[in-house]
Amino acid sequence: MKTELSRTLGIEHAIFGFTPFPAVAAALTRAGGFGVLGAVRYTAPDDLARDLDWMQEHTDGLPYGLDVVMPAKKVEAAPGGQTLTEADVEAMIPEEHRAFVRATLAKHGVPELPEGEASGWRITGWMEQVARGQLDVAFDYPIKLLANALGSPPPDIVARAHDHGVLVAALAGSARHARHHAEAGIDIVVAQGYEAGGHTGEIASMVLTPEVVDAVSPLPVLAAGGIGSGEQIAAGLALGAQGVWLGSIWLTTTEAELHSRALTAKLLAAGSGDTVRSRALTGKPARQLRTEWTDAWDDPAGPGPLPMPLQGLLVAEAVSRIQRHEVEPLLGTPVGQIVGRMNSERSVQQVVDELTRGFEKAVDRINRIAGRSES
Ligand SMILES: Cc1cc2nc3c(=O)[nH]c(=O)nc-3n(C[C@H](O)[C@H](O)[C@H](O)COP(=O)(O)O)c2cc1C
């Protein structure tokens, strides 16, 4: 599965994978794809450095990338333009919302974290100062791609990446966003459709991909959202993409470190209709498993989610408690509609093998339909 972009990056298959797990990213790179490690959960630069050291040792000199979350609009800016600290942002959370979290946890009997155990689910990586700290670490490593969710990275970051010979990718949920990325000097646009896990827009991949391809031509576009088979890869390439970008499919691989058998079981059992695009987790619409937790936040009788980054800070400890104690009705994760096809645990290599086999079959079928092959 070679395209111009895969040749530029020196990879065997134009399959890019976003994942929060170093073991998955490294395995995908070793399998001939391109692993992209999500940095948003690394609040301590030393932790990111440790995992990038590990990536270096486990990727056989093959290319990989890093994904940060720098929202286009600084989310922690006060009206005067002054940058707020995490504590300032915490202080903005209304008591009504804190009480709602306490009541929802109490309703489901969610125990406290064990004495001395810190909340592990603390995502502040979308605060610009945290993301900049991650990049200070990342540019010391031979990453080949820097991806950004939620907007174009600031011009100084794009320039710094290019100075390091790093290509810059950015996710786009509309042709307008994609054009903005092109104007900002981004090298690759990830057209991410409504079906995708995580923060997503409202346009489905089938409509979005060709719109973005047209909008930013000749920049390369990766199709994302709802891709979990070789046939879907063939569809993405047929729509003009130079590769595909997958996130959900890796969550049920044997290398993924979900740390919860109950969550893996929920993902394996879920159908394509079991996700919801909700602001419950971060304050911005993100597709995730539908749970009683998302239902509570989406209930018009409740206070509703706060904007980013307040909601993420508000629910961080609660999410840790739910995960730690595997409280089944509330247990969830960002995941896309492709979860309906994630029905067995496989290694990353097995997933890549199936994707490439399926792609070849789909291409053969289309060739037969087009009358280009006798077989
Ligand atoms: C668990 C999970 C976490 C995600 N977190 C991020 C993130 O931090 N940054 C980002 O750019 N995209 C993130 N995404 C979106 C992926 O990069 C990707 O665009 C998306 O998963 C593609 O659609 P799919 O889920 O249908 O494969 C996340 C997706 C999932 C499933």
Side-chain angles (χ1 to χ4, degrees):
M1 260 190 64
K2 292 218 170 20
T3 64
E4 210 179 309
L5 180 62
S6 69
R7 287 193 190 94
T8 305
L9 285 164
I11 55 176
E12 204 181 327
H13 309 298
I15 301 174
F16 295 71
F18 167 91
T19 170
F21 308 119
V24 174
L28 176 56
T29 283
R30 287 196 310 271
F34 192 99
V36 181
L37 178 66
V40 73
R41 72 191 168 95
Y42 294 94
T43 47
D46 286 352
D47 291 346
L48 179 59
R50 181 203 58 216
D51 282 359
L52 287 176
D53 282 338
W54 189 92
M55 289 280 297
Q56 266 307 104
E57 285 162 25
H58 293 84
T59 41
D60 304 339
L62 296 165
Y64 62 90
L66 191 79
D67 176 281
V68 295
V69 182
M70 261 193 193
K73 276 190 230 124
K74 215 174 184 173
V75 286
E76 66 276 22
Q82 170 212 352
T83 299
L84 301 175
T85 63
E86 191 179 325
D88 294 331
V89 178
E90 282 264 12
M92 291 161 65
I93 297 173
E95 178 48 33
E96 183 198 5
H97 287 76
R98 293 195 186 279
F100 183 73
V101 170
R102 285 194 297 273
T104 309
L105 294 175
K107 183 175 157 200
H108 291 273
V110 182
E112 298 282 345
L113 288 174
E115 186 82 24
E117 192 171 308
S119 164
W121 204 90
R122 187 152 198 85
I123 292 190
T124 49
W126 47 61
M127 295 180 74
E128 191 176 313
Q129 78 234 43
V130 178
R132 282 184 179 274
Q134 292 163 348
L135 291 173
D136 288 341
V137 172
F139 286 130
D140 283 342
Y141 290 82
I143 57 168
K144 292 283 179 280
L145 179 84
L146 173 68
N148 190 48
L150 302 182
S152 311
D156 65 303
I157 298 292
V158 177
R160 210 168 143 197
H162 287 163
D163 286 348
H164 281 80
V166 175
L167 292 178
V168 182
L171 275 67
S174 70
R176 186 173 61 83
H177 284 155
R179 266 192 291 273
H180 190 271
H181 291 329
E183 284 156 15
I186 266 72
D187 307 292
I188 301 167
V189 177
V190 181
Q192 194 208 239
Y194 173 79
E195 307 92 316
H199 293 123
T200 139
E202 292 185 281
I203 306 170
S205 298
M206 186 70 135
V207 173
L208 180 71
T209 309
E211 278 188 8
V212 170
V213 168
D214 283 351
V216 302
S217 172
L219 281 189
V221 171
L222 299 176
I227 298 178
S229 72
E231 290 77 1
Q232 287 161 327
I233 294 179
L237 299 191
L239 294 172
Q242 284 211 22
V244 289
W245 173 278
L246 283 60
S248 293
I249 195 89
W250 317 113
L251 291 174
T252 48
T253 57
T254 46
E255 290 90 342
E257 296 149 71
L258 278 186
H259 297 302
S260 166
R261 291 308 302 166
L263 183 53
T264 301
K266 259 186 128 167
L267 287 170
L268 293 173
S272 51
D274 291 332
T275 70
V276 63
R277 192 169 162 269
S278 166
R279 293 173 51 224
L281 205 53
T282 69
K284 279 188 186 287
R287 185 169 300 287
Q288 52 202 288
L289 271 187
R290 181 177 172 189
T291 66
E292 291 190 30
W293 179 254
T294 60
D295 284 353
W297 283 105
D298 295 337
D299 184 347
L306 293 168
M308 181 182 261
L310 273 64
Q311 182 72 8
L313 289 173
L314 170 66
V315 304
E317 201 220 5
V319 172
S320 285
R321 282 169 60 183
I322 293 164
Q323 289 180 347
R324 175 69 170 79
H325 299 290
E326 302 197 318
V327 184
E328 223 270 341
L330 304 180
L331 197 57
T333 174
V335 72
Q337 294 178 338
I338 197 67
V339 70
R341 299 279 296 256
M342 293 157 50
N343 306 128
S344 65
E345 279 181 274
R346 292 165 296 166
S347 68
V348 169
Q349 180 71 60
Q350 283 170 321
V351 171
V352 172
D353 289 345
E354 270 181 44
L355 291 174
T356 52
R357 262 199 311 271
F359 172 75
E360 279 159 25
K361 267 201 221 153
V363 172
D364 281 350
R365 193 161 55 238
I366 296 298
N367 274 334
R368 272 200 306 277
I369 293 168
R372 296 219 173 82
S373 149
E374 294 302 308
S375 59

